[in-house]
Each structure stands twice: as C-alpha cells, then as structure tokens.
Amino acid sequence: MTPQPKGFYLLFLVELCERYGFYTAVFLLVPYAVSRIGFSEVEASLLYGTYTALIYSTTFAGGIIADRLLGFRAATLIGLAIMASGSLLLATGVKAAAFVGLAALLVGNGYYKPSVSSLLGLLYEKDDPRRDSGYTLLYMGINIGAGGAALGAGLLSRDFGYHTAFLVAGLGKLLAFAALLAGGRVFHNLGAAPADRPLMRADFAGLPNLLWLAVGTIALVVLSNLLLFHAFAAGETIAVVCAAVFGFFLFAVLRLDAKSRQRALVMLMLFAFGVIFWAVYNQDADTILLFIAQGVDRTVMGFEIPSSSFLSLNSLVIIIGAPLMSILWFRLAGRDITPSESVRFAFGLLLLGAAYCSLALAPAGAGGLVSPLWLIVFFLLFSVAELLVEPIGLSMVSRLATRELMGFAMGMWFMTHALGNYGSGLLAKLAAVPEDTEPAGKVTTSQAAFLDYGLLALATGLLLIALLPVIARWRDATDDTKGDT
C-alpha cells in the first residue's frame, strides 16, 4: 500500500476515536428518545432528522472561522473539546443536560469536521496521486469508529445503561484531543492560524476576536438547544440558513477567476446531488434501525442481537472495502484512468437505490420477520455506495477549491449532509406505523417506504448520468486534472 504523509496517520487515529463518540449519539438517539424521553416514533424520527441536519449545518461557520481566524489545527482541537463536554453531559442522564449536550455536539462538530478534513488536504500537493487514496483510507478509520459504536454502544446501553455508553463516547473524544495536541508538530506550519488575524486583535467594536468567538459559540449552543426542542421550526431555520449560505458561497465563487469559478460551480452541482444521496442514505439509524428492531429475526444461536449492532455491517464492509478501493484509485491514477467525481456520484446513487430495492423485495419468513441475511445484501450495496460518494466528495473539495475558500467549501460539502439529513427525517414519515400494528403490517409499511427510497435514488442517479457529457465538457475546458472521464 502506498505510504501516506506522516500527518495522515495521526488524523486517522483522531477520526477513529472521535467518530466512535459521534456515532454513539447518532445510533442511540432514536431508541433513547422513544424509550427514555417518551417520544413517538414519528417524533423521534423528526428529532433525529433535526439533530443530524443541525450537526452539519454548523460546519459552514466553523469552516469560515478556521479559514480566517483560528487555523485548521486549533479549530479541530476546539471542536473536540466542545464535543467531549457534550458527550459527558449526555452521560449525566438528566433530560435538560442531555439536550444541552446534544447542542454542544452540534457546535463542536461545526468546528471539527471541516477543519480536520481540510487539514488532511493540506498534506498533499494538488496533483498528488495519493490524495484520493488518503481520503478513502481516512474514511476507513472513521468507519472503524462507527463500527465500534454500533457494536459497543448498543451493548453498553443495553447492559449498563445509556449513560455508560455516552460516558465512553466522551472519553473517546478526549483521547482524540490528547493525541492531536501531543502529535501536532508533525504538521509543522500546516493548518496554523492566519498571521494577519490574531485572536487578541480588536477587529469589531473594540473587543478582541477571542471574546467574540467565545460569545458566538455559547450563543450558538443556546440556539441549537432551542431548535432541538422545536423540530418543526428547526426545519424552517435550516432551510433559510442553507439558502443564505449557498447564496453567499455563490457570491464568493462568482468573484473568482474564470477557471476557479467553473471548478467551484462543478462542486455546487454535485452538492445538489449530494443532498438527495444523504436524504436517502441517512435512513440507516432511523427507519432501517426501527425496521431491524421490529421486522427482522434478530435471534442467532439463541442470542438476541441488539438492533443497533447490525449497523456495524456497514462499517465492516467499509473497513474491508476502503483499502481495496484506495489501491484501485491509486492504480487507476497511475494509468491515467481516473473516473471523475460525477461518475462516482452517479454509480453511488444507483447502488444506493439498488440497496433499498433489495430490502423492499425481501420476503418475510416465520412470524412475519425478514431473515437477517437480507441485511448483508443491503449493507453490502449501501456501503459501497457510501465509499463512492463520501470520501471522494472530501477529496473533490480539497482538489477543486481555492486555498482561501477551502474551509468554507468543506463546510458547504457538509451542509449537503444537513439538508439531506433533515430531508431524511421527512422521508422517514413514509415508514411510520401505529404502535398497535401487527409485525407483518410493520414490515409491509417499511418495505413500501424502502421501495420509494430506492426509486428516488435510482432516478437521481440516472439524471446525473444524463448530465455527465455536459459536466465532462465543463471540466475539460477548465480543469487541468488529466484523465478524468
């Protein structure tokens, strides 16, 4: 396997530890809301959609702050510290503290996610053939953490309570913080704070930038907490914020030179397709998780497997597939046969659609329950689709964005997750069933919704394929990356 820059291995460890804590909250949110808070499935799905949308909607602000004030390393550390405090608040088991903890996770992720992804991009030259491989391998580290959360969080919450699972998640974030703080010297000056914008300088109203940053961060935690309690209002807020951010980004893009501008517009086009991808994809910890709990035979050799543990199949496929795909991208690049991001997006959408259609058509067995073997088929297609889209999307931004807009563009990529995740909460209503419905009725309703999800992804993928010639001409005229198809 091709050696990566030294900083890559540190970021691999950081992402692995931090994402364990991140996915613990994601995987446990719906069952926690139903069993501990007393939400209905519809209310829990809406909370899940709101939370996962907000957790990415803060990334644009974090990316701008990292670009212009903190630098990527400091922003990553601050994000880790805030998220660790959020997980520990969830561990208290107090409802009010839990919602503040969720809000802290939202804000901390805004600092962390665009910064750590941008920091990795700085380790490579623009034409470094290791770039796609590096992002794909980093994604393997992310999914080792996610797989550990799917297995560990489910078992810990079942045997020792939700508070124990959240406590372990917080410790994982603290470990990531300590590792990056201790090993940051491997980056030298990469990702350091901009020299012309010191934190103690008073750029506004005679007050230091550091004070404005602290006040803004606290205010955003308070606002996020309020939005979590008012999910419907949150949806309108997310839509307005995303529209404003996309408009501001477009304004910034139009001020670039012609070549950089058209590269950025290609990114925006793929961002739009990304919204659909994530709206369909992010049913895994929502309707898929509930379907596994209600409609899948989870008894294996006399032992009932927690429903969240099945989500580790996703991570398992990615852990195995990421190195193989990393080698594939590197070897294709060596032969000057690198498929463009748009081609990979299209195939990712088609595979995602096929995954949901396979689960929609799975026959029910004894007791009206679906065999767990169908979950293997689903997660195989589902996870390969993810590998084709997410790590390559990060690589795309680091390649096509200008240095001045890289953090902002990374935040924009994660904003597609925000819109998609909120959309996933709305799509989840298609799979909602009354609590007194018989198991067979729950399976039928869920599978009908899965068929709708699958057809939506397939149609979107076919639309992107139809647009490939236009995108290819645009890229060929402006992009000096050779061999893209």
Side-chain angles (χ1 to χ4, degrees):
M1 188 174 295
T2 306
Q4 295 289 331
K6 289 183 179 179
F8 164 84
Y9 301 101
L10 175 59
L11 294 179
F12 183 96
L13 175 63
V14 169
E15 280 279 63
L16 187 157
C17 295
E18 189 283 325
R19 291 292 98 172
Y20 176 91
F22 176 90
Y23 282 104
T24 292
V26 169
F27 293 155
L28 295 183
L29 182 55
V30 170
Y32 177 80
V34 172
S35 63
R36 293 291 183 269
I37 301 179
F39 280 11
S40 68
E41 289 184 6
V42 172
E43 291 171 331
S45 292
L46 188 58
L47 175 63
Y48 171 81
T50 302
Y51 172 76
T52 53
L54 288 173
I55 206 166
Y56 287 113
S57 65
T58 56
T59 55
F60 84 93
I64 293 174
I65 291 170
D67 278 334
R68 301 185 179 183
L69 187 62
L70 290 173
F72 297 131
R73 276 187 288 165
T76 301
L77 286 168
I78 289 172
L80 285 168
I82 295 173
M83 288 189 293
S85 66
S87 292
L88 295 177
L89 283 170
L90 282 170
T92 64
V94 178
K95 180 179 177 180
F99 272 85
V100 175
L102 287 174
L105 289 173
L106 300 178
V107 175
N109 191 70
Y111 281 107
Y112 172 81
K113 199 57 185 168
S115 301
V116 71
S117 299
S118 298
L119 189 56
L120 177 62
L122 295 179
L123 297 175
Y124 305 97
E125 299 295 333
K126 285 289 185 181
D127 58 351
D128 193 329
R130 300 176 297 172
R131 181 186 297 270
D132 282 354
S133 296
Y135 274 99
T136 302
L137 288 173
L138 184 71
Y139 207 59
M140 182 180 72
I142 291 171
N143 279 274
I144 292 174
L151 290 171
L155 293 173
L156 286 172
S157 62
R158 186 191 68 181
D159 297 338
F160 301 101
Y162 286 102
H163 62 284
T164 302
F166 292 131
L167 175 61
V168 173
L171 294 177
K173 292 179 185 293
L174 289 176
L175 177 59
F177 177 90
L180 183 58
L181 185 64
R185 62 182 179 275
V186 302
F187 298 106
H188 303 292
N189 291 325
L190 293 176
D196 60 337
R197 291 181 182 271
L199 285 172
M200 298 310 299
R201 195 172 72 192
D203 285 337
F204 183 71
L207 298 175
N209 294 329
L210 179 61
L211 178 61
W212 285 115
L213 184 63
V215 171
T217 299
I218 294 171
L220 193 54
V221 171
V222 173
L223 175 62
S224 298
N225 186 43
L226 291 173
L227 290 174
L228 287 171
F229 275 105
H230 302 87
F232 286 104
E236 297 177 0
T237 302
I238 291 167
V240 171
V241 169
C242 287
V245 171
F246 272 83
F248 181 71
F249 185 74
L250 182 60
F251 174 76
V253 165
L254 293 176
R255 299 175 64 186
L256 300 173
D257 61 86
K259 187 174 182 178
S260 299
R261 180 170 61 249
Q262 291 197 4
R263 284 182 174 181
L265 291 175
V266 169
M267 283 195 298
L268 279 173
M269 184 181 297
L270 295 180
F271 287 169
F273 283 96
V275 171
I276 304 299
F277 182 91
W278 296 118
V280 177
Y281 174 90
N282 279 296
Q283 300 298 321
D284 60 332
D286 190 354
T287 58
I288 294 295
L289 183 60
L290 292 173
F291 173 74
I292 294 171
Q294 299 168 349
V296 174
D297 183 2
R298 295 184 287 117
T299 302
V300 177
M301 299 178 65
F303 177 76
E304 185 175 87
I305 301 174
S307 54
S308 63
S309 295
F310 281 95
L311 299 182
S312 65
L313 290 170
N314 177 27
S315 299
L316 179 62
V317 174
I318 290 177
I319 291 167
I320 296 172
L324 299 177
M325 196 163 286
S326 174
I327 294 170
L328 174 64
W329 298 144
F330 185 79
R331 290 185 176 178
L332 286 176
R335 297 181 182 182
D336 205 22
I337 315 175
T338 305
S340 67
E341 294 87 0
S342 51
V343 171
R344 301 180 218 187
F345 264 61
F347 279 98
L349 282 161
L350 293 177
L351 284 176
L352 183 65
Y356 277 99
C357 287
S358 70
L359 205 56
L361 300 175
L369 300 178
V370 171
S371 168
L373 295 178
W374 283 99
L375 293 177
I376 297 176
V377 176
F378 171 80
F379 279 114
L380 179 61
L381 296 168
F382 181 88
S383 303
V384 175
E386 180 184 355
L387 275 173
L388 285 171
V389 173
E390 174 63 3
I392 299 306
L394 296 172
S395 179
M396 169 195 69
V397 172
S398 72
R399 179 190 294 112
L400 298 181
T402 63
R403 174 61 185 84
E404 294 77 13
L405 289 177
M406 184 180 293
F408 191 2
M410 281 292 182
M412 290 294 298
W413 169 245
F414 292 115
M415 284 288 284
T416 68
H417 293 57
L419 284 172
N421 287 350
Y422 189 75
S424 75
L426 300 178
L427 286 177
K429 293 181 179 180
L430 296 174
V433 294
E435 294 184 1
D436 57 352
T437 303
E438 294 295 324
K442 292 182 179 181
V443 171
T444 300
T445 302
S446 296
Q447 288 185 311
F450 297 157
L451 183 60
D452 291 336
Y453 302 157
L455 293 177
L456 174 60
L458 289 172
T460 307
L462 292 174
L463 174 61
L464 181 52
I465 288 175
L467 293 174
L468 286 179
V470 177
I471 296 174
R473 286 197 300 271
W474 205 347
R475 287 176 57 88
D476 289 343
T478 60
D479 194 353
D480 52 1
T481 301
K482 305 300 183 184
D484 282 6
T485 58

